[in-house]
Amino acid sequence: MYYAVRISINAVLYFGGWALFAWVGDSWLQLLVAVAMAVVFAQLGFLAHDLGHRQVFRTRPPSDIAGLIIGNFGVGLGWGWWTTKHNRHHANPNHEDHDPDVSPAVIVWSEGQAVNSAGLPRFIAKYQAYWFFPLLTLEAWHLHIASFKALLEPTTKRRGLELTLLVTHVVLYFGLIFTVLPFGMALLFLVVHQGLFGLYLGSTFAPNHKGMPVLTKDDKLDFLRKQVLTSRNVRGGVFTDIALGQLNYQIEHHLFPHMPAPNLRRAQPIVEQYCAEIGVDYLQTGLVESYGQALSHLHEVGAPLRR
């Protein structure tokens, strides 16, 4: 019932948002529509995340179908590529050698990565805490491009279907925007919409692991410690749950990735109590504090380069 309501609300907001876009037409009010649609796109991203973890349906086929529709067709993010990447992250969170989310592509996550960096990452790493949020405005574009690049790999499943849905999204998305709006305003809509979409997505994932211990091959942890010690929960009420797609219960999500999102809140006190009983650090902070910890960590990582 929960996911039926959530999917229905997001579908109404998605198609209603594009109907509003067409109705508003050539007007600077479209920038407000761009902001609203960035939020809608991110909320659909959270739904795709839950589908990828098989939280919504009991079996794989309907999860894949819904994920392809929402991911590839709805927001232009490759379902197959993202789920594979995200599962690797869950298997080894914050591990330098195995977690793709802490690979030093632009941002570096440990002093070792900073010292060994070169080119653009080395330039940015010196003051990357200041670069972090501005760079997130490019995250949506990065995800779109990575989705297409993944389809070049011969081992990718459903290449034809995924490519068709991605291309259909691109054609309809750009076609609608450049048909309704004059060229300059269309470009500005794209900048605002995709920039805020990426910023919102990145800002909801950043509190989960950034600033937590980064593991190496020398760290030998059991499953529970590997998941708990590298994750951070964010306190808050219903608004925080909705805004962060309930990923603010990151510790519980990593321990029980198939658990439906609304049950994570119920599992949280049980997990926290158990961690206290066995002496495992369990970190839970406020949202602003979580950003402070993440940014402080990024600044400390770049210290060797500043010296």
Side-chain angles (χ1 to χ4, degrees):
M1 183 64 179
Y2 165 83
Y3 278 110
V5 172
R6 186 171 163 189
I7 290 172
S8 298
I9 291 174
N10 277 276
V12 169
L13 292 175
Y14 182 81
F15 291 108
W18 285 124
L20 178 64
F21 172 85
W23 180 75
V24 171
D26 183 0
S27 167
W28 289 108
L29 291 175
Q30 291 288 16
L31 296 184
L32 296 179
V33 179
V35 174
M37 290 305 290
V39 175
V40 173
F41 269 46
Q43 287 293 326
L44 286 173
F46 298 149
L47 260 179
H49 168 272
D50 291 2
L51 286 161
H53 283 294
R54 318 300 178 197
Q55 296 175 14
V56 182
F57 298 103
R58 293 180 183 274
T59 57
R60 181 182 296 270
S63 299
D64 288 341
I65 293 171
L68 287 166
I69 293 173
I70 292 174
N72 292 56
F73 178 77
V75 299
L77 301 182
W79 168 253
W81 162 76
W82 184 84
T83 52
T84 300
K85 169 180 172 291
H86 192 63
N87 287 336
R88 289 171 55 203
H89 157 71
H90 265 265
N92 292 283
N94 268 26
H95 195 292
E96 281 191 340
D97 300 322
H98 303 300
D99 184 356
D101 289 350
V102 292
S103 62
V106 177
I107 299 290
V108 296
W109 308 102
S110 67
E111 288 192 5
Q113 289 181 344
V115 171
N116 294 322
S117 63
L120 181 62
R122 189 176 185 88
F123 171 77
I124 290 178
K126 291 181 181 180
Y127 298 100
Q128 60 184 5
Y130 301 98
W131 283 100
F132 183 69
F133 284 110
L135 284 172
L136 287 181
T137 61
L138 302 176
E139 178 63 15
W141 295 110
H142 163 253
L143 294 173
H144 294 313
I145 293 171
S147 298
F148 276 99
K149 286 177 63 177
L151 295 177
L152 299 177
E153 298 293 333
T155 57
T156 301
K157 299 179 180 179
R158 300 185 297 257
R159 293 173 68 189
L161 177 59
E162 292 224 20
L163 180 60
T164 299
L165 290 172
L166 280 176
V167 170
T168 301
H169 169 83
V170 170
V171 170
L172 292 176
Y173 177 75
F174 284 95
L176 179 62
I177 291 173
F178 282 95
T179 298
V180 172
L181 300 180
F183 185 78
M185 190 179 292
L187 289 179
L188 186 57
F189 182 94
L190 287 173
V191 169
V192 173
H193 178 230
Q194 294 294 331
L196 291 181
F197 175 33
L199 179 63
Y200 185 7
L201 276 184
S203 297
T204 56
F205 283 95
N208 301 337
H209 301 282
K210 308 315 177 193
M212 300 303 291
V214 177
L215 307 180
T216 68
K217 60 185 178 182
D218 297 323
D219 295 300
K220 308 297 181 183
L221 301 177
D222 58 38
F223 174 80
L224 184 141
R225 287 168 175 79
K226 181 166 61 174
Q227 303 297 337
V228 174
L229 296 178
T230 61
S231 303
R232 176 197 295 110
N233 275 16
V234 176
R235 288 190 296 268
V238 175
F239 175 79
T240 303
D241 290 358
I242 295 173
L244 299 184
Q246 301 190 79
L247 294 174
N248 44 314
Y249 303 103
Q250 190 67 195
I251 294 173
E252 289 70 35
H253 171 58
H254 263 258
L255 289 173
F256 311 104
H258 300 304
M259 180 179 288
N263 292 337
L264 295 173
R265 171 183 283 273
R266 300 171 184 173
Q268 187 275 324
I270 300 172
V271 173
E272 183 179 17
Q273 180 180 347
Y274 180 71
C275 287
E277 290 173 357
I278 64 174
V280 174
D281 291 339
Y282 181 103
L283 181 59
Q284 186 169 218
T285 70
L287 181 60
V288 174
E289 186 180 357
S290 72
Y291 288 132
Q293 292 175 1
L295 294 176
S296 295
H297 171 77
L298 291 177
H299 197 60
E300 291 172 4
V301 164
L305 300 182
R306 293 192 298 275
R307 291 195 291 268

